[in-house]
């Protein structure tokens, strides 16, 4: 059982690092602002980016970034709200 759990955690970490790498390349402004607000933990930021948000219609920031023409603006707005304690 412990081996399965360790493998699952490793797989999840790899997925989060893949999200982080994609964000750094495709949306560097979003990534940089998220680092300012959430700190410099890549996994923590990637987890937030991959999690659904009620403020984004229960979509994840990653989904909004990939599905919407103004996705970057929407995600930056949410990060700004979090930064100022409005979310």
């Amino acid at each position: 059982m412990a081996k399965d759990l360790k493998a699952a955690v490793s797989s999840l970490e790899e997925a989060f690092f893949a999200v982080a790498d994609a964000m750094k390349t495709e949306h560097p402004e979003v990534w940089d602002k998220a680092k300012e607000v959430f700190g410099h933990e890549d996994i923590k930021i990637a987890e937030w980016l991959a999690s659904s948000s009620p403020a984004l219609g229960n979509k994840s920031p990653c989904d909004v970034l990939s599905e919407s023409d103004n996705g970057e603006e929407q995600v930056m707005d949410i990060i700004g709200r979090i930064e100022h304690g409005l979310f």
Side-chain angles (χ1 to χ4, degrees), residues 52-87:
S52 64
S53 171
L56 295 171
N58 291 321
K59 292 183 177 185
S60 72
C62 285
D63 289 340
V64 171
L65 287 166
S66 66
E67 296 173 357
S68 175
D69 290 339
N70 67 341
E72 192 164 301
E73 181 180 320
Q74 291 175 353
V75 173
M76 290 292 281
D77 179 59
I78 297 302
I79 294 171
R81 289 189 210 176
I82 292 168
E83 179 179 31
H84 296 289
L86 301 174
F87 186 84

Side-chain angles (χ1 to χ4, degrees), residues 36-61:
E36 266 182 51
V37 173
F38 296 114
H40 292 276
E41 294 182 48
D42 287 5
I43 289 180
K44 182 178 179 180
I45 298 166
E47 181 180 6
W48 180 80
L49 290 166
S51 298
S52 64
S53 171
L56 295 171
N58 291 321
K59 292 183 177 185
S60 72

